[in-house]
Amino acid sequence: MSAALTQQRTYWIARVLRQIEKIQPGTQRKDLRDIVTTEGGLSNRFQRTYVFVECPYIKVTVKFKAASNEAD
């Protein structure tokens, strides 16, 4: 593998990690849409597994707190 390809991959992974780090406590579901997309499978209102939009092998499991308003 060439040095240029290694460097390109390193930059890509660094960019991916910076995007994933945007997911912080307090992030709402609507704010996740630009970074990740939902993965098929079982989920509920408290937990869902997402996949990174650019690579389906990068997965993030997000746990949610119940909304204070039960109608939400």
Side-chain angles (χ1 to χ4, degrees):
M1 183 170 12
S2 71
L5 183 56
T6 300
Q7 185 178 22
Q8 184 181 15
R9 287 181 177 181
T10 302
Y11 287 143
W12 184 80
I13 290 293
R15 185 176 57 79
V16 168
L17 291 173
R18 282 192 301 274
Q19 288 181 297
I20 296 295
E21 285 177 343
K22 292 178 184 178
I23 302 172
Q24 296 288 323
T27 302
Q28 296 183 354
R29 292 173 199 255
K30 65 179 180 158
D31 299 326
L32 296 174
R33 287 185 231 150
D34 296 331
I35 304 168
V36 292
T37 186
T38 57
E39 180 186 47
L42 297 176
S43 66
N44 58 49
R45 65 183 271 205
F46 299 110
Q47 181 173 319
R48 177 173 276 284
T49 299
Y50 293 90
V51 294
F52 185 62
V53 293
E54 294 180 32
C55 179
Y57 296 115
I58 300 174
K59 299 180 182 194
V60 179
T61 299
V62 180
K63 295 182 180 183
F64 296 98
K65 240 170 59 172
S68 58
N69 182 355
E70 289 189 23
D72 287 343

